[in-house]
Amino acid sequence: MIRLKHNSSILKTKRRLLLRKQKAFEAEIQRRSNEYQSFIQRNNERLQSGQLSEFDAQQIQQKAQKMEASLMQYQQNEGAKLEKESFDKSTAINKKIEAFGKEFSEKNGIDLLLMHGPGGQINFVNPSMDVTTEFVNFLNEKQAEIEKDLK
């Protein structure tokens, strides 16, 4: 068995790319939110000082509602896209790492290769190490003891 620490430059690059996109997404949300808040504040001041007619106030309220809806829609749509992209890239990279782990393990005679760290996992297991059937049979033999402990 070989245990690896999760220090791969591939994973670090993936994290940096996704973090950069996340920050850009958050910056755009902040920019749109600030624009909306500024619009509201500016027009509230105009309304309070009597610079707007009732018709103008209704038009401004409708525009504010559209701005708010647009902001919410952007957050939902772009957030979902970012989340899907992150998931898809992670999945693709993990599949490649798994394949490379298998190749490396077979090349170096390793039966069990573990990835240690955040998101760590078993990267490769030699099929000859599969003892699932034997373990299930063993558990079945011990079932009476298990049931006794449950009473």
Side-chain angles (χ1 to χ4, degrees):
M1 173 174 71
I2 303 292
R3 189 179 101 188
L4 301 174
K5 290 191 177 187
H6 243 285
N7 288 343
S8 167
S9 61
I10 294 170
L11 297 177
K12 288 178 184 177
T13 301
K14 176 186 78 170
R15 279 190 219 115
R16 277 195 305 269
L17 175 66
L18 294 174
L19 184 60
R20 192 174 327 135
K21 287 187 175 193
Q22 179 69 30
K23 285 183 178 183
F25 170 69
E26 290 171 1
E28 180 62 15
I29 289 173
Q30 188 62 49
R31 184 193 69 74
R32 289 179 183 218
S33 182
N34 289 345
E35 183 180 308
Y36 170 72
Q37 293 298 327
S38 177
F39 178 81
I40 296 290
Q41 183 179 359
R42 193 171 56 249
N43 286 295
N44 275 342
E45 290 169 1
R46 290 177 60 206
L47 183 62
Q48 289 175 357
S49 68
Q51 296 176 9
L52 298 175
S53 69
E54 193 171 314
F55 177 76
D56 291 335
Q58 287 176 345
Q59 295 292 94
I60 288 169
Q61 184 178 13
Q62 287 176 356
K63 183 173 181 180
Q65 288 172 343
K66 286 180 183 178
M67 289 175 78
E68 184 178 29
S70 175
L71 173 62
M72 298 297 267
Q73 186 175 14
Y74 175 82
Q75 262 182 305
Q76 289 174 348
N77 291 344
E78 294 305 311
K81 283 180 191 176
L82 187 61
E83 189 174 315
K84 181 180 181 336
E85 179 182 358
S86 175
F87 177 79
D88 290 348
K89 284 186 179 186
S90 293
T91 300
I93 288 171
N94 288 341
K95 283 183 180 183
K96 285 183 180 182
I97 290 172
E98 185 178 319
F100 292 146
K102 179 180 184 213
E103 179 183 336
F104 178 83
S105 296
E106 289 173 346
K107 182 179 178 181
N108 291 285
I110 297 169
D111 290 327
L112 181 63
L113 181 65
L114 301 175
M115 304 283 283
H116 175 70
Q121 61 188 21
I122 295 176
N123 185 273
F124 173 76
V125 178
N126 186 318
S128 68
M129 295 185 70
D130 184 358
V131 293
T132 305
T133 303
E134 292 84 356
F135 185 64
V136 168
N137 291 339
F138 177 79
L139 287 177
N140 288 337
E141 291 171 12
K142 300 293 184 179
Q143 182 157 351
E145 290 178 41
I146 293 171
E147 289 175 358
K148 185 174 101 177
D149 289 341
L150 292 175
K151 290 181 182 179

